[in-house]
Amino acid sequence: MGVLALLVRGPGYGYQLRGEFEHRTGGSWPLNIGQVYTTLDRLERDGLVARGDTDDDGHVVYTATDAGRDEVARWFSEPVPPKRGRDELAIKFALAVTVPGVDVTHLVQVQRTAAVRNLQDLTRLKRTADPSEDLAWSLVLESMLLQAEADVRWLDHVESSVARYRPDEHPAPAQRTSSARPTSSDATARSAR
């Protein structure tokens, strides 16, 4: 959709579109040129772009079709679905707290160091960004900065949750006799031990 949105602004060729996309997103999502041309082929197949003539330098120039413009208008009018995909960090900690011998506290510290360093790097970048000159990059940078802040906050939550967790008091789900959540009487029995 990003490539198609750029073509709605005006005709372009692969390398030009890649450069424009990376400029507008501050290089936060680098595109492989092969990916750009594969995308252009699919967009052409689906009737969303039309292959035009070759420019003076031998580049094939593409333009958005009316159907392509409609598709971009639809894309801009609809919300992006919440991210429900695989989150490697969450999966790593979900497994770390269940695998014997993993020092989860150390893992939190290592990850927090990396997350804080990322947050500091993004904060430095933000100081140099000028929204009046490049609003697109400023918006992408702000999104990355807020996500980095959320990562640090989530790691704080993980650390406090792990500090309260006692593995001997919480059998693995497969060891429970019922699929129901533990009741308050279960909690009372555990605290009496």
Side-chain angles (χ1 to χ4, degrees):
M1 291 308 298
V3 170
L4 185 56
L6 290 172
L7 286 171
V8 165
R9 290 199 55 207
Y13 56 88
Y15 281 97
Q16 182 183 39
L17 294 166
R18 181 182 74 170
E20 188 65 23
F21 182 87
E22 289 181 0
H23 171 74
R24 290 170 188 260
T25 61
S28 62
W29 186 2
L31 295 179
N32 175 297
I33 192 60
Q35 179 184 7
V36 172
Y37 281 108
T38 299
T39 299
L40 287 168
D41 288 343
R42 279 196 315 258
L43 292 169
E44 182 182 21
R45 178 200 67 203
D46 296 343
L48 302 174
V49 302
R51 183 185 301 247
D53 295 328
T54 304
D55 69 8
D56 294 339
D57 295 322
H59 303 114
V60 176
V61 178
Y62 293 83
T63 58
T65 63
D66 288 341
R69 292 180 207 297
D70 291 345
E71 187 67 14
V72 168
R74 182 199 58 75
W75 182 57
F76 281 132
S77 70
E78 294 178 354
V80 174
K83 293 179 184 176
R84 299 282 187 236
R86 184 172 38 206
D87 180 340
E88 184 177 354
L89 186 58
I91 291 169
K92 186 175 189 176
F93 278 99
L95 294 172
V97 298
T98 62
V99 173
V102 176
D103 184 348
V104 180
T105 302
H106 176 72
L107 182 58
V108 169
Q109 291 169 352
V110 167
Q111 191 63 47
R112 182 183 292 113
T113 298
V116 168
R117 187 176 305 121
N118 181 46
L119 182 59
Q120 291 168 339
D121 291 345
L122 292 169
T123 301
R124 276 191 289 278
L125 275 174
K126 183 179 178 185
R127 283 190 213 119
T128 64
D130 183 356
S132 66
E133 290 185 17
D134 194 350
L135 180 59
W137 166 234
S138 293
L139 292 173
V140 170
L141 179 58
E142 192 67 31
S143 173
M144 293 165 57
L145 187 59
L146 291 170
Q147 182 58 54
E149 289 172 356
D151 288 347
V152 172
R153 285 185 20 237
W154 184 75
L155 287 165
D156 291 343
H157 170 75
V158 170
E159 184 175 51
S160 66
S161 296
V162 168
R164 289 189 307 267
Y165 178 74
R166 290 184 175 66
D168 58 317
E169 295 181 4
H170 301 282
Q175 296 172 343
R176 289 190 183 141
T177 56
S178 94
S179 61
R181 292 177 164 229
T183 64
S184 59
S185 61
D186 294 334
T188 304
R190 277 195 305 269
S191 63
R193 281 191 250 163

